[in-house]
Amino acid sequence: MRALVWNGINKLTVESVDDPKILNSHDAIVKVTRTAACGSDLHLLAGYVPTMRAGDVIGHEFIGEIVEVGSGVTKRKVGDRVAVSSFISCGKCFYCRTEQYSLCDNTDPNPDIPEALWGAAPGGCFGYSHALGGWAGSHAEYIRVPHIDVGSFVIPDGVSDDRAVFASDAAPTGWMGADLAGVKPGDVVVVWGAGAVGQMAARASMLLGAERVIVIDRFDYRLRQVRDVIGAETLDYTKTSVLAELKELTGGRGPDVCIEAVGMEAHSARPDFAYDMVKQQLRMQTDRPTAVREAIMACRKGGSVFVLGVFGGLVDKFPLGAVMNKGLTLRGAQVHGPRYIPMLLERMQRGELVTEHFATHVMPLEEAPRGYELFKHKQDDCVRPVFVP
Amino acid sequence: MSKTVNRSLAVVLATAGGLTAQRLWKLHEQRNPAAQGKDTAGSLRWNVVTIQAPHELSVDAELPDPLRRLSSKVEVRFRPAPGDRGVELAARPREGFEDEGLRREIREALRDSKQLIETGEILRILPRPEGARPATPTGAIVDLAERIGKKGGVL
Ligand SMILES: [Zn+2]
Ligand SMILES: [Zn+2]
């Protein structure tokens, strides 16, 4: 089959690779019909995720049709049109039973790598380096999905492929940020980052009853989507002082909930950005925490900060004093897909959750390297490239 | 945790990620005192996993295959985990068998036993679809890290 392969920093090629096989009884083979590039894939591309191997098939956001199932599969069958969770979960361990699916104990075959990095191993993720399992990704014609009964959900009739594909990763990630940050009716919520995940966090906050939702970014075409499609307010951080503006907008309090949806390659107009950029480029720190820092500083006393952006390692000049003295709640997580995907698919069917506008560039898999170029350099108003194998 | 295994891991992460191996290793040591080799009780320490399983699991129950294969060289202990967390399954080398190689086998056997009891099978990863894998130094290190992926760690 054909697949998009990572061959080194900023080197992607479409190659012929072996077809996936059923290896465990709970596996299924899914024929991929849509697969989206995710902002966190750009970290792989840029070489910020160290346990990549030349030859790895990437991609973790996808939908498809089941074409083969293992003998232990009971809930899904050949022919089902499914959205698949980007993280892989066994459904049986303590973490899966308590709906913390991305923390699954049983789906990373290389637990020693994350244990050395983070002290414990989260679950495996498709196409996301050998630290998260070394699983082949979804930018391919076919993909093997372990524990298909747990991680896949039948897409309701009437939900288009271009809408449903974002039920795999972007929508549950954004929803989880709003949910686990504890957004309540009446809250003022600020989201850093107007990519697909940031927009989904904003939409989720609105549906959870937030009174006011503001999204911060610097790209006008993304901010326009936030206003026109999501219906939230926007701020361009290159044109205003974010901290002063947020104080003014929130009666001097600061937002109740701050959601960071930017990750380790953050940008900012503030001087600490240059500091972080230099440190990261010199490999003295692994991540740029610019947006996280700003979220912590902006948040009201007793408020809640949620880190949705992907971080890999260590940061410095972290405002720990603000966390402690302002009584903040600070959380983060990789996406607990199965906890949210069925509900999100229903909302997609009812039209409450619209996502197809992210798919600004739908193209054949053979053109995926060009799609990643557009996405990486934010050319041609690209929000997400989506590949059709 | 074996020093050699972990040093190679540190090198993987460092070369590709850019930190120096030394820095990363230092960090790892700070976080995992056992990795400093200063754990005097090291050879007698139990390696433990918690398994979502009925509390009735006990030493009398048949040992899961991966552990039974080692049973002449290891001692095994079950005890109930607090709250609703299942059972703690522990293993350590019997006297006279205390070496790092066995320690690595124990980690893998514990992880595999947990998967067998919780999910009914051990999840396989290979063979997987993959592109050409050029022989590069970092590639070789990632390959090594993957080959020993269940034998190391802080378990
Ligand atoms: Zn993602
Ligand atoms: Zn699990």
Side-chain angles (χ1 to χ4, degrees), chain A residues 89-93 96 104-106:
Chain A
S89 324
C90 77
K92 301 281 171 43
C93 70
C96 288
C104 179
D105 272 340
N106 291 320

Side-chain angles (χ1 to χ4, degrees), chain A residues 158-354:
Chain A
V159 179
S160 72
D161 283 356
D162 285 334
R163 181 175 291 188
V165 67
F166 298 105
S168 168
D169 186 64
T173 302
W175 195 283
M176 179 184 72
D179 178 34
L180 299 187
V183 171
K184 294 186 302 301
D187 277 353
V188 178
V189 178
V190 176
V191 179
W192 274 257
V197 170
Q199 291 193 33
M200 285 293 95
R203 183 66 188 146
S205 300
M206 292 166 70
L207 290 168
L208 290 168
E211 189 145 321
R212 202 159 180 191
V213 178
I214 302 155
V215 180
I216 303 173
D217 205 288
R218 72 185 154 128
F219 294 103
D220 194 49
Y221 67 96
R222 304 209 294 191
L223 292 173
R224 221 178 311 129
Q225 288 195 336
V226 171
R227 290 189 298 268
D228 297 348
V229 187
I230 302 298
E233 298 170 64
T234 60
L235 273 186
D236 178 343
Y237 66 76
T238 61
K239 300 204 173 106
T240 186
S241 158
V242 170
L243 291 179
E245 187 91 21
L246 290 180
K247 277 280 188 238
E248 189 181 332
L249 284 168
T250 57
R253 301 181 306 275
D256 301 290
V257 173
C258 297
I259 300 173
E260 186 273 351
V262 177
M264 63 169 95
E265 292 179 77
H267 285 263
S268 157
R270 289 182 295 122
D272 59 331
F273 165 67
Y275 169 86
D276 289 323
M277 184 81 179
V278 169
K279 284 203 80 168
Q280 193 182 35
Q281 302 288 328
L282 291 174
R283 309 303 190 191
M284 293 166 77
Q285 77 180 359
T286 55
D287 305 72
R288 298 201 297 262
T290 321
V292 177
R293 236 186 249 136
E294 192 166 80
I296 290 171
M297 296 306 285
C299 200
R300 77 153 163 83
K301 292 182 282 185
S304 165
V305 176
F306 201 95
V307 182
L308 279 181
V310 168
F311 289 87
L314 310 165
V315 300
D316 75 357
K317 300 288 180 287
F318 183 79
L320 186 58
V323 173
M324 184 268 158
N325 286 289
K326 294 205 297 184
L328 300 182
T329 300
L330 176 64
R331 288 191 79 172
Q334 292 279 15
V335 60
H336 302 316
R339 179 164 171 180
Y340 300 104
I341 293 172
M343 174 269 291
L344 294 171
L345 286 170
E346 279 172 31
R347 288 182 190 268
M348 285 178 172
Q349 192 182 26
R350 291 200 299 267
E352 287 174 20
L353 201 71
V354 171

Side-chain angles (χ1 to χ4, degrees), chain B:
Chain B
M1 168 174 304
S2 143
K3 260 201 161 158
T4 38
V5 170
N6 250 285
R7 278 199 194 281
S8 57
L9 193 62
V11 174
V12 177
L13 302 163
T15 38
L19 283 167
T20 66
Q22 221 176 0
R23 276 172 70 92
L24 202 87
W25 177 250
K26 267 235 151 60
L27 239 148
H28 174 65
E29 278 192 337
Q30 283 159 11
R31 286 176 172 192
N32 305 289
Q36 296 173 33
K38 287 174 190 157
D39 183 359
T40 50
S43 61
L44 293 174
R45 187 171 295 288
W46 296 90
N47 292 95
V48 198
V49 288
T50 301
I51 301 176
Q52 279 288 312
H55 283 189
E56 298 76 65
L57 253 186
S58 74
V59 203
D60 304 328
E62 205 167 303
L63 279 181
D65 267 345
L67 268 176
R68 199 176 48 220
R69 281 197 289 272
L70 297 176
S71 61
S72 62
K73 290 182 273 184
V74 306
E75 224 180 312
V76 177
R77 183 184 77 189
F78 289 90
R79 73 178 176 208
D84 192 22
R85 286 174 180 75
V87 177
E88 294 170 3
L89 170 60
R92 67 177 178 192
R94 290 184 193 279
E95 262 185 68
F97 293 97
E98 307 95 333
D99 76 277
E100 255 320 297
L102 179 59
R103 192 62 81 176
R104 289 200 286 277
E105 300 300 319
I106 289 176
R107 289 197 182 94
E108 183 168 25
L110 284 172
R111 288 175 165 133
D112 284 349
S113 300
K114 172 181 164 75
Q115 274 192 30
L116 268 176
I117 296 171
E118 288 187 341
T119 74
E121 58 189 331
I122 298 167
L123 199 52
R124 289 179 56 194
I125 178 103
L126 295 173
R128 82 188 135 217
E130 55 189 31
R133 288 176 114 63
T136 61
T138 48
I141 295 166
V142 175
D143 289 348
L144 171 71
E146 187 166 67
R147 265 202 309 282
I148 57 172
K150 280 185 193 166
K151 295 180 191 290
V154 296
L155 174 68

Side-chain angles (χ1 to χ4, degrees), chain A residues 38-41 60-61 86 128 169-170 173 197 310 384:
Chain A
C38 170
S40 63
D41 289 323
H60 58 268
E61 180 152 59
S86 50
Y128 212 83
D169 186 64
T173 302
V197 170
V310 168
R384 287 288 188 92

